[in-house]
Amino acid sequence: MAKIFCVANQKGGVGKTTTTVNLAAGLASIGQRVLMVDLDPQGNATMGSGLDKRQLALSVYDVLLESASIAEARAQSDKLVEAGLSYDILGSNRELAGAEVELVEVERRERRLKQALAEVDGDYDFVLIDCPPSLSMLTLNGLCSAHGVIVPMQCEYFALEGLTDLVNTIKQVHANLNRDLQIIGLLRVMFDPRITLQQQVSDQLKSHFGDKVFNTVIPRNVRLAEAPSYGLPGVVFDPSSRGAQAYLSFAQEMVERIKRM
Ligand code: ATP
Ligand code: MG
């Protein structure tokens, strides 16, 4: 059975997509069967995995509107296959922005992705869902499908306050829609240990959330930021960089965590 995780934080630009694609690549590199679902109309996870979002024959939009199954809509990236590592991609593009409105009239609209994933459950060890920076119907579809949420966050002054909305949403989804859902962990990203404030916030996070804070810390590393322009995850673009090494450790940590789930 596949373990399904959302990478979510309603705050923009906190490293959700970078985490999704690098975790997908990291897990694939240690032999895990991975499906990455891009649930953001920006399509950054699609592009960052080497698929051109403007050229998708079918996307997650078709799956949510039930005009295609995941088996029909998933694709692989030639770039990743050439690099000797691959995961399946359910891509996204601007079309997905319309799904929000089109789903309004539909029954059980928050469960469309969950139903579709059930059909391919046996094909994967991990499904990773990159969520948009909002708590919208799209994110809700992700949360309804998942066993857990991975929350990437920067250790900044308002980090804890910003978590409240997300934690409340997750509690509500847990209570009303998906009893499986839990926060798997908070992932400290773009971390710079030279900044005292980041150390302080990191300590605060650990005292508030205990072992819900992942041991792995992702450093700020320019190679991770450069990789998407080559259509590759950092883990593939420059495997020896500090950022890539951190995401590879994170993949190992996730494999260990799910043994305890
Ligand atoms: P959005 O909310 O728009 O979907 P996001 O949460 O998915 O954004 P990313 O797109 O992953 O965030 O990251 C935002 C920017 O920060 C990108 O330019 C990315 O390349 C860069 N970035 C992410 N992680 C790191 C890192 N560890 N070191 C350096 N740059 C990073
Ligand atoms: Mg993103």
Short mmCIF file of all heavy atoms in Angstrom, two decimals, residues 18 50 62 125 159 253:
data_model
loop_
_atom_site.label_atom_id
_atom_site.label_comp_id
_atom_site.label_asym_id
_atom_site.label_seq_id
_atom_site.Cartn_x
_atom_site.Cartn_y
_atom_site.Cartn_z
N THR A 18 10.28 22.67 -3.80
CA THR A 18 11.66 22.18 -3.72
C THR A 18 11.70 20.90 -2.89
O THR A 18 12.39 19.94 -3.23
CB THR A 18 12.55 23.27 -3.09
OG1 THR A 18 12.40 24.47 -3.86
CG2 THR A 18 14.01 22.86 -3.05
N GLY A 50 11.19 18.27 -14.97
CA GLY A 50 11.59 18.12 -16.36
C GLY A 50 10.47 17.87 -17.35
O GLY A 50 10.72 17.49 -18.49
N ASP A 62 -7.60 16.85 -15.43
CA ASP A 62 -8.47 15.83 -16.03
C ASP A 62 -8.85 14.77 -15.00
O ASP A 62 -9.95 14.23 -15.04
CB ASP A 62 -7.75 15.18 -17.21
CG ASP A 62 -7.40 16.21 -18.27
OD1 ASP A 62 -8.30 16.61 -19.01
OD2 ASP A 62 -6.22 16.64 -18.31
N ASP A 125 5.24 3.03 -3.58
CA ASP A 125 5.54 3.03 -2.15
C ASP A 125 5.17 4.38 -1.55
O ASP A 125 4.70 4.47 -0.42
CB ASP A 125 7.04 2.76 -1.92
CG ASP A 125 7.45 1.42 -2.51
OD1 ASP A 125 6.84 0.41 -2.14
OD2 ASP A 125 8.36 1.40 -3.36
N ALA A 159 7.12 32.36 12.20
CA ALA A 159 6.93 30.98 11.76
C ALA A 159 5.86 30.25 12.58
O ALA A 159 4.98 29.58 12.03
CB ALA A 159 8.24 30.22 11.83
N GLU A 253 15.26 9.50 6.22
CA GLU A 253 14.49 9.72 7.45
C GLU A 253 13.01 9.39 7.23
O GLU A 253 12.35 8.80 8.09
CB GLU A 253 14.65 11.18 7.93
CG GLU A 253 14.02 11.40 9.29
CD GLU A 253 14.26 12.80 9.88
OE1 GLU A 253 14.97 13.63 9.27
OE2 GLU A 253 13.70 13.05 10.97
#
